[in-house]
Amino acid sequence: MKRILLCFLLCCVLTDMSAQQRKQARFTPERFQAQLEQYIAKKACLTPKESAEFFPVYAEMRRKQRFIHNEMKTLKRIKPTTNAECEKNVIKRDELEIEIKELQKEYHKKFMQILSAKKVYDVLKAEDRFHRQMFKRAANNKRRKK
């Protein structure tokens, strides 16, 4: 009887621990943003003062980019039926991509008013690396689940 009770308790504890691990592994935008900022600050060697000035401007740029990306996602979901609708869709997507690049250019200039050009370069490089790492992790997690 004691063995059965002990096995039951052990199973309950293990189930609870695995549920907590899965809960921690779930994506949250806030945690992603915090990890991104921490990674960028470390890799670009930003001081606390530089970080305090830089990241609000960076977050503003990301919000505007996200808005444009959402518009693009909406356009990609639409399946135009006529040639004219297809042309409008392609032109609008091109305009949005140009808008993203112009937004980046504008904000890169703002970044260089806050940080040196070398640090801005390091920030951009760190951001790319971080996103690559996150995509790899997501792909590995997806493979493990199968």
Side-chain angles (χ1 to χ4, degrees):
M1 186 68 171
K2 288 182 182 180
R3 285 185 181 170
I4 294 173
L5 184 59
L6 184 62
C7 287
F8 177 73
L9 288 173
L10 185 60
C11 287
C12 288
V13 168
L14 291 174
T15 304
D16 186 50
M17 286 174 47
S18 68
Q20 285 179 356
Q21 287 176 343
R22 279 191 303 250
K23 193 174 185 180
Q24 289 174 350
R26 287 200 177 121
F27 176 82
T28 64
E30 296 81 18
R31 187 173 48 183
F32 178 84
Q33 187 64 34
Q35 289 173 339
L36 174 64
E37 288 180 11
Q38 183 180 20
Y39 186 86
I40 288 173
K42 181 181 175 189
K43 293 295 180 180
C45 301
L46 299 181
T47 66
K49 183 179 185 273
E50 289 172 331
S51 293
E53 289 180 41
F54 171 74
F55 283 115
V57 178
Y58 179 79
E60 182 182 307
M61 179 188 77
R62 298 286 294 165
R63 274 191 304 276
K64 290 179 180 180
Q65 284 178 326
R66 203 171 306 116
F67 179 76
I68 297 169
H69 281 291
N70 287 341
E71 284 185 60
M72 289 177 72
K73 193 187 310 184
T74 302
L75 285 173
K76 289 178 182 179
R77 288 184 182 146
I78 296 171
K79 178 68 176 135
T81 53
T82 67
N83 205 31
E85 289 174 340
C86 288
E87 184 179 350
K88 281 175 56 177
N89 188 298
V90 169
I91 291 170
K92 181 64 177 169
R93 286 171 66 174
D94 288 343
E95 288 171 354
L96 290 172
E97 291 209 18
I98 291 169
E99 192 175 332
I100 286 175
K101 284 298 176 188
E102 288 173 347
L103 183 71
Q104 286 177 336
K105 185 178 177 181
E106 172 190 336
Y107 274 89
H108 291 170
K109 287 178 183 177
K110 288 182 182 183
F111 295 165
M112 285 190 277
Q113 292 173 351
I114 299 168
L115 305 171
S116 69
K118 184 194 180 319
K119 284 199 177 187
V120 171
Y121 176 83
D122 291 342
V123 163
L124 298 175
K125 196 172 176 182
E127 181 185 28
D128 288 342
R129 276 196 205 133
F130 180 81
H131 285 109
R132 251 186 276 124
Q133 286 178 1
M134 294 305 279
F135 282 126
K136 283 181 184 176
R137 274 191 212 153
N140 288 338
N141 288 342
K142 198 173 191 179
R143 276 189 225 127
R144 282 189 209 139
K145 288 180 182 178
K146 287 185 179 181

